[in-house]
Amino acid sequence: MEWEYRKDDTGQWVPTGWQYPSLNGKGALRYSVKAEVKILDFAPRFAADAFAPKSPVLSHVVVFKDGEKQDEYLIRPDGSKRALLAAERRKSYQEVIKTNADGTPYPPAKK
């Protein structure tokens, strides 16, 4: 890779772009990829959930923090979460999602 740099307003060297030439077995150029840096931001702002994974429906989710289990739940077909109790781990997904964690029936979402 070939990198290009310039000095910014503070005198620091920053990348302005790079080029990646791909050569064949005989050293001839097959293709080249060139990139140009338009904006360089060392402190970008992201939405709070930018790096929070979204679990798909029908998932069994276990959340750990610092090696300790914090939460365990199922994602129902309507996207709602259903807490999973230790005593329910051997039950089928279809059986568990029909009730709430307190044992009351869970009415399916109306279409």
Side-chain angles (χ1 to χ4, degrees), residues 63-71:
V63 179
F64 286 88
K65 183 176 180 183
D66 298 327
E68 297 290 325
K69 185 165 78 168
Q70 300 293 308
D71 200 5

Side-chain angles (χ1 to χ4, degrees), residues 31-107:
Y31 63 88
S32 180
V33 177
K34 186 172 184 174
E36 181 181 353
V37 176
K38 297 282 188 179
I39 297 172
L40 186 63
D41 187 351
F42 291 111
R45 293 180 183 228
F46 294 98
D49 65 348
F51 297 101
K54 303 258 188 288
S55 300
V57 296
L58 309 179
S59 294
H60 176 179
V61 179
V62 182
V63 179
F64 286 88
K65 183 176 180 183
D66 298 327
E68 297 290 325
K69 185 165 78 168
Q70 300 293 308
D71 200 5
E72 185 172 11
Y73 54 89
L74 302 175
I75 306 288
R76 290 184 171 121
D78 65 3
S80 64
K81 294 179 182 179
R82 187 338 189 138
L84 185 63
L85 306 174
E88 299 173 316
R89 287 198 189 113
R90 294 192 184 267
K91 292 182 179 180
S92 74
Y93 176 90
Q94 292 301 327
E95 185 180 356
V96 175
I97 64 167
K98 292 178 182 176
T99 62
N100 294 309
D102 64 2
T104 59
Y106 178 78

